[in-house]
Structure formats: structure tokens, C-alpha cells
Amino acid sequence: MKKYLNKTPEGTRDLLFEECVARRAVEERLSALFLSYGYNQVVTPSVEYYQVFSRSSSGLHQEDMYKLTDASGRLIVLRPDSTLPIARVVSGRLKEAPLPIRLFYCQNIFRRHMRMSGHADECEQCGVELIGAGGLRADLEILTLAMRALDAAGVPGFKLEIGHAGFYNALCDLLHTDEEVRMDINELIEKKNYAALGDLLDTLPDSEAAAALRRLPRLFGGPEILDEAEKLCASPRAQESLAYLRKICSAVHEMGLSDSVTVDLGLVHRNNYYTGLVFRGYIPGSGATVLSGGRYDRLLGEFGEPHPATGFGIEVDELYKALLDSPGAPAVRVPDVLIFGAEGYELAALEAIGALTRTGLVCENFTGSTREEALRYAVRRGIPRVRCLSAAGWEELSPAQEVQA
């Protein structure tokens, strides 16, 4: 029974010292940015009813979720996604709120992954949701905020890929296949498993849409990719999606951010609720997607309150790991002063700590018995000052000099 006493469950890990400092720094920077753009924070429960995520639009399989039962025997899950619970909140408690509604969150999600996949089952996400605003202006706000969020996190050299769910959906609609096959195509394109994608498309009748889907994962590059895509499918819906992407690319160019943004028409999210502009963000040194988002105009309707919506989520864990490896990474702060109260002066020393911390100093209370022990401890910890209180009053010492003497 003691086999797992000192272990964490698979897919989880402990965070220590510098990791906690770096993660908190990312949270604070992102939260400050979102607040400055008029977004208000929400926190949803760590557990939700299974029904919130069981819809096909979630892109989640039931085996992806950590499942429990509540006191009444109803099936609940650890939150595997933040957008769906926020859709529930907006359609419930915020039903009468004036539109648009700008919300942000910083909370953990829980999702099962295969062993050795390299993905954590528990990770923290920060993100924003802009509810009740459609069109180009809203999409540009979210896209700009996504880029500024990656910049604010303190990890330079980010890259953003943009695509359009409408183009992919138009191709899939022309296949006239069932939902299961469509989900398989979605998953293979997302994983960039081109060989398996080709095998699957071989089982379908030859068509313009099938040929375009074979080419889709390779439609990656600058705005000129849109010229090639226009020739692949004459569907009005597909053409409309490409025209919209041209507007986005033009705006990105005007902002001087073209070097950071690439068009990827093979950008397919596992979450099936996306309907328009979609995008993903990457940073140097990480093979993971650190930011993911897009427009989802039909999702709120599934919860009873149809509104256009867009947003994105950021993988905080990937950002803080990169931040730790960067110059000037946040570090654990060593106390400015060690306080020691001799016998009979312990409470007075603790009261002095309270006064000193109010001035901005970091103070540590020494729990040992003698002045000499306090000095040796301060040297080991790298604490530059020791203040001792005894019958003779306060004495301030330099531990390195005192121990050498």
C-alpha cells in the first residue's frame, strides 16, 4: 500500500520554488494585460456535470475526461476545458448582462493523455472570451491581444499561425460523409498524420473536396498560400473564408507583425465548435502549442443563449518553463534579513518582523536557540543581514564577517 506514498499520479508533477515564482509571474503579467483591455476575471468550478462536455462540438472523447459522481450519483468530471463552462456561465448567471461581455480566466484543466505522450494531465491555462461581438473588429482585438499576451509573458520570438474553420468545414460538407469519418479526418489533420489521412481519403469517392483535403496540410506559408487555395475549391463558403483571411493578413501587415504570423489552412482544432478565424501560437524551445483560439459563433446557442463569440487560451506551464530558461528569469527571493530573538524576546522579535515586512523587506524568523547558530544559518542561506534582540537591545550583524571572525 505504500508503493505510491511518495509519488504523484501519472500526468501530474510538483512545482517547487523557482517554478512557482515563474508561473506566478506569468499569471500576473497576463492578468494585468487582460484587465487593461477591459476583461473581468471569472473562476469556474473544478468539477462540472459531464453533460457540459459530452456534446460532439466539444471535440472531447469521454475517455479523455476524469470522471466522478456527486452525492446524488450524477456523473461529473474534472474541468477538461474552460470555454464550455464559461459558455454555461454566460447563458446562466450573465444572461441579462449587456453585450459584449469580456471575461478572462486563470485556472487548471484536467485531461487524460496517453502514456509517454509528453502532455501533462493537469495544466494551468489563462485565456479570454469575448462574448456577443462578431466581425472583423472583434477578431482583430482577440488576435492582437493574443500576440501581446505572448509578448507580455516575457518569452521573445513567438510565432502565430492563422487559418479559418469555415474553409475546412466547407470541404468536409462537400464530402457528404458521416460525423465519425469527419472527426477522424479532423484528428489526422490536427496530428499532421498525412499517410493515415491519405489512406482514409482513399476510401472515399474522388472529388474536388477530397483532393483539396489531401493538399490542406501543406497549405502553409505567407498570404500567397491563399491564391493556391482559391483554385482548390469553388465553394462560395470556402471562397468567403479565404477572402476574410486576406483581410486579416492585410491588417497584420499594417500592424507590422507579418514576420510573426503565418497562414496555415491545415490548422484544424480538435474542438469542433470553431466557426471562423482560428489561430495557434508557438514559442522558441517548446514543441507544444502554447496558445490556441478562434471564433465559435454557435457554441453559446447550445447552452440556450446564441451569441457570436471568440477567444483563446494560453498554456501557462509551457510559458513559465520557457521563462525559467530565459535571461533575467524570476528567482526565489532570499530574505533581506534574519531576525533572532534571544530567550524571553521571541515575541518582540516577531513583532519587529511585522513592522519590517510592511516596509517591503523580506524577513525570516530564526527558530534556533543561539546567536551563533543564527549567523551560521544566514551564511548557508546567503542572507546578508542578521538582527538579534536580547537584553542588550538590537544588534545588527553581517553574518559572513562574523562567522569568518
Side-chain angles (χ1 to χ4, degrees):
M1 293 297 292
K2 295 183 179 181
K3 180 179 179 180
Y4 303 106
L5 188 63
N6 295 316
K7 298 181 179 180
T8 62
E10 290 185 16
T12 67
R13 61 191 296 264
D14 299 311
L15 302 184
L16 302 176
F17 313 135
E18 288 87 356
E19 293 175 309
C20 294
V21 173
R23 185 165 82 160
R24 187 166 60 249
V26 171
E27 292 171 0
E28 291 174 350
R29 293 173 188 180
L30 293 177
S31 296
L33 176 67
F34 300 153
L35 285 167
S36 73
Y37 269 71
Y39 287 75
N40 293 304
Q41 187 171 10
V42 294
V43 178
T44 65
S46 295
V47 294
E48 294 270 358
Y49 285 115
Y50 172 71
Q51 188 177 7
V52 173
F53 305 97
S54 61
R55 60 199 64 250
S56 61
S57 62
S58 74
L60 293 164
H61 302 298
Q62 64 88 16
E63 59 266 22
D64 295 333
M65 295 179 253
Y66 280 88
K67 293 178 283 294
L68 311 90
T69 55
D70 66 8
S72 300
R74 290 169 295 202
L75 188 61
I76 56 177
V77 298
L78 291 177
R79 177 183 54 231
D81 175 86
S82 290
T83 299
L84 288 152
I86 287 178
R88 172 189 58 73
V89 171
V90 170
S91 299
R93 294 186 62 187
L94 297 178
K95 184 176 181 179
E96 304 299 328
L99 298 175
I101 302 171
R102 288 178 168 84
L103 305 174
F104 83 90
Y105 57 87
C106 289
Q107 57 192 27
N108 286 7
I109 64 167
F110 306 84
R111 193 177 295 184
R112 293 182 185 274
H113 292 93
M114 294 179 61
R115 288 186 178 183
M116 311 301 290
S117 68
H119 296 287
D121 286 8
E122 178 185 9
C123 62
E124 184 181 7
Q125 287 187 345
C126 288
V128 300
E129 310 293 350
L130 175 53
I131 312 294
L136 184 64
R137 291 184 181 184
D139 283 345
L140 289 177
E141 175 182 329
I142 287 295
L143 194 63
T144 301
L145 187 54
M147 289 188 275
R148 290 184 178 163
L150 291 177
D151 186 55
V155 183
F158 72 86
K159 296 292 182 182
L160 215 64
E161 296 176 354
I162 62 173
H164 201 292
F167 183 73
Y168 168 74
N169 290 332
L171 297 180
C172 287
D173 289 345
L174 292 172
L175 288 178
H176 302 295
T177 187
D178 59 46
E179 186 64 28
E180 185 175 349
V181 172
R182 184 165 174 161
M183 289 183 66
D184 289 341
I185 293 173
N186 185 311
E187 188 169 346
L188 292 174
I189 293 178
E190 183 191 34
K191 293 180 178 179
K192 300 191 182 298
N193 191 339
Y194 306 142
L197 175 64
D199 292 339
L200 176 57
L201 292 174
D202 285 341
T203 66
L204 304 176
D206 289 336
S207 65
E208 179 185 62
L213 284 169
R214 290 181 191 276
R215 182 63 185 156
L216 193 63
R218 296 172 177 81
L219 294 176
F220 178 92
E224 68 277 359
I225 289 296
L226 302 175
D227 297 331
E228 180 180 351
E230 284 181 343
K231 303 172 185 176
L232 293 175
C233 182
S235 160
R237 184 181 177 192
Q239 294 293 318
E240 182 182 349
S241 300
L242 296 175
Y244 191 79
L245 274 180
R246 286 190 186 279
K247 293 180 181 179
I248 296 292
C249 289
S250 176
V252 168
H253 177 73
E254 287 185 29
M255 290 187 289
L257 297 169
S258 297
D259 291 342
S260 301
V261 179
T262 303
V263 176
D264 183 3
L265 293 178
L267 188 57
V268 177
H269 285 293
R270 186 175 184 179
N271 304 87
N272 297 329
Y273 49 68
Y274 289 108
T275 58
L277 177 71
V278 290
F279 50 90
R280 284 181 179 169
Y282 304 88
I283 56 175
S286 174
T289 301
V290 299
L291 183 148
S292 181
R295 176 159 291 281
Y296 53 97
D297 285 347
R298 292 195 293 266
L299 181 63
L300 272 294
E302 297 183 20
F303 290 84
E305 290 295 317
H307 295 301
T310 181
F312 63 82
I314 295 178
E315 302 294 332
V316 172
D317 293 357
E318 293 297 327
L319 286 182
Y320 87 72
K321 290 174 188 175
L323 189 60
L324 282 174
D325 295 332
S326 65
V332 174
R333 184 173 174 180
V334 175
D336 298 302
V337 58
L338 182 69
I339 304 295
F340 170 63
E343 186 173 353
Y345 294 88
E346 298 92 339
L347 292 179
L350 288 173
E351 290 179 0
I353 288 176
L356 288 170
T357 56
R358 286 191 288 273
T359 68
L361 293 175
V362 175
C363 304
E364 183 175 330
N365 177 51
F366 183 67
T367 57
S369 303
T370 68
R371 171 181 178 276
E372 289 70 26
E373 289 176 353
L375 291 168
R376 289 194 295 270
Y377 175 79
V379 169
R380 291 197 305 271
R381 288 288 315 281
I383 302 174
R385 296 161 53 200
V386 175
R387 295 194 69 192
C388 300
L389 178 61
S390 64
W394 282 104
E395 182 182 18
E396 183 154 341
L397 306 167
S398 171
Q401 295 177 1
E402 293 290 333
V403 169
Q404 286 177 356

